[in-house]
Amino acid sequence: MAAAIYKDVRLSSRLDPDNQPMRERLQNMHLTERQKEFVANLSYSDISEIYHNSGHIYPEVFIKMLENFPQEISKEVLLKYVKYCELNEEVKIKALEVLGKEAKDIILPKLHLTIELFNQILKVFSTEETKEILIAVVKGYDSYTEFDDVEHKILKVFSNDDLKDILRAFIEGSPWLCEQGFLKIFEIYPKEEVKELLEKAIERDMDIWRPTLRKIVEFFPKDEAKELIEAFWETSPGANCYTFEREEIYALLNKKK
């Protein structure tokens, strides 16, 4: 994968020699001797396939391997592969079906958690183990939940005590949290922690939707609510995507005593 990225960047740099950021990126890519050998031997059609499959092995090959190879061999091969390349959702689900809990370190790298994959995780792992996986997801590089349906199910599956740890991890490490997730924090945390978590979300430029903005006005004293709301308007989403809500939210603020 490193060799494929290098060759792609090198081609882009040659096609656009005035692109200084691309040239600098190329100069900062330091390959091993083995990777240089791959660069010399990879065609551009090879590179296209590597990008398309997130690696140089078709997902169907891994599915077949998991169905036919001894489990220890499948596990060994996949653990080596995920150090350098990605596995798609279908392979990760199959690994969970075949290897059970032994697949944990195979599925975690760059985990894009869909509802199908999450349902399979729930079948294999205990609630406590699943909680640990979710917290690991938001701490991992390029790992996150995909679509609100995963987070909606998280809210249904876990107790409030577990959700305290999970939602905190999401606010501190995930690029987003669903609307229902934000509203849930008002139910399960003491007021000072609700404020702390909202401040962290605002600091991290997270989207906070209209129902949560209204809840902030309702939940906090006027001065604290105004402080949080105005801090949110300064964020990228607040400044660019919420212009029509300002009048409504300020009207609600003005009604508070």
Side-chain angles (χ1 to χ4, degrees), residues 151-211:
E151 293 174 27
H152 293 168
K153 186 149 190 175
I154 289 170
L155 294 174
K156 292 178 181 177
V157 167
F158 291 95
S159 69
N160 286 347
D161 284 342
D162 285 332
L163 286 173
K164 284 182 178 180
D165 295 328
I166 294 168
L167 294 180
R168 176 173 285 278
F170 271 62
I171 288 174
E172 291 178 347
S174 179
W176 55 73
L177 180 66
C178 69
E179 179 182 298
Q180 287 83 352
F182 271 115
L183 291 173
K184 188 70 176 178
I185 72 173
F186 292 91
E187 297 178 26
I188 64 176
Y189 295 98
K191 184 171 285 189
E192 62 272 14
E193 283 192 64
V194 174
K195 185 177 181 183
E196 176 206 346
L197 291 170
L198 289 170
E199 287 172 340
K200 286 186 177 181
I202 289 168
E203 183 182 339
R204 299 189 63 245
D205 256 11
M206 296 178 79
D207 273 295
I208 299 176
W209 292 270
R210 181 185 291 176

Side-chain angles (χ1 to χ4, degrees), residues 5-55:
I5 292 171
Y6 179 89
K7 195 155 187 172
D8 182 67
V9 171
R10 187 174 70 179
L11 175 63
S12 299
S13 179
R14 287 175 178 173
L15 293 174
D16 185 8
D18 295 326
N19 189 329
Q20 184 63 25
M22 190 67 72
R23 289 171 57 192
E24 289 176 359
R25 184 183 176 195
L26 185 66
Q27 291 167 0
N28 291 327
M29 297 176 73
H30 305 293
L31 302 185
T32 65
E33 291 303 314
R34 182 65 168 157
Q35 288 166 341
K36 290 176 183 177
E37 184 181 341
F38 288 136
V39 169
N41 288 284
L42 283 174
S43 69
Y44 286 106
S45 62
D46 292 332
I47 289 173
S48 178
E49 287 194 15
I50 288 171
Y51 281 141
H52 179 74
N53 295 299
S54 298

Side-chain angles (χ1 to χ4, degrees), residues 194-246:
V194 174
K195 185 177 181 183
E196 176 206 346
L197 291 170
L198 289 170
E199 287 172 340
K200 286 186 177 181
I202 289 168
E203 183 182 339
R204 299 189 63 245
D205 256 11
M206 296 178 79
D207 273 295
I208 299 176
W209 292 270
R210 181 185 291 176
T212 305
L213 297 175
R214 288 199 294 258
K215 186 69 176 178
I216 288 172
V217 175
E218 173 193 328
F219 190 79
F220 291 102
K222 185 174 182 177
D223 288 346
E224 289 183 58
K226 185 177 180 182
E227 179 186 344
L228 288 166
I229 293 296
E230 292 190 339
F232 176 68
W233 297 146
E234 296 296 320
T235 67
S236 178
N240 298 307
C241 304
Y242 290 77
T243 54
F244 298 108
E245 284 85 350
R246 293 193 186 206

